[in-house]
Amino acid sequence: MTVYVDDMRASYGRMVMCHMIADTDAELHAMADRIGVARRWWQAPPKHDSHYDIALSKRAIAVAAGAIEITWRQCGAMAMRRRITGELGPHADAMDWQQKWYAERRAASLQGSIE
């Protein structure tokens, strides 16, 4: 099971929240069940990329249960990659993938405007 929790810190009432994402929705829901997060908190497509916003106390439990800690920037890059390719891909190269994707788009746009 590959589940990720980012280091975002967003206030929600008296709680501080972060994101929890996973390679598959089945893995995401299994971890949510394991750490005691109700399914009603799932933020689902098409309105959102599939994830849960979880309190930091739940984050600690998720990490203890095997979730991988990532940055909020990695989380955003991984979500973008899933929207484009259908997969989160490895967290280690998420930022490089995103930069390459933007560079390729810029190059294609410039090439198109020259012709």
Side-chain angles (χ1 to χ4, degrees):
M1 177 184 309
T2 309
V3 176
Y4 305 91
V5 290
D6 72 8
D7 60 357
M8 183 189 76
R9 302 289 188 267
S11 296
Y12 183 74
R14 295 186 326 229
M15 296 182 291
V16 178
M17 310 296 279
C18 68
H19 297 116
M20 182 170 70
I21 62 174
D23 287 334
T24 68
D25 285 344
E27 293 169 331
L28 182 63
H29 297 316
M31 181 62 82
D33 292 344
R34 186 171 182 181
I35 66 173
V37 174
R39 183 72 52 98
R40 71 178 177 273
W41 295 108
W42 177 41
Q43 297 190 39
K47 189 173 180 180
H48 300 281
D49 292 320
S50 183
H51 75 283
Y52 284 91
D53 289 343
I54 60 171
L56 295 185
S57 59
K58 297 295 185 181
R59 182 187 190 278
I61 297 168
V63 169
I68 297 170
E69 297 177 280
I70 60 174
T71 68
W72 63 270
R73 290 183 187 271
Q74 286 174 307
C75 186
M78 292 167 74
M80 178 183 166
R81 180 163 41 190
R82 179 168 47 197
R83 283 190 303 273
I84 294 167
T85 70
E87 297 180 357
L88 287 177
H91 68 284
D93 76 347
M95 299 299 299
D96 291 337
W97 179 91
Q98 186 180 48
Q99 288 177 338
K100 181 181 174 190
W101 186 85
Y102 280 126
E104 289 171 357
R105 296 269 300 178
R106 277 191 297 274
S109 177
L110 291 173
Q111 187 176 14
S113 65
I114 293 172
E115 295 177 12

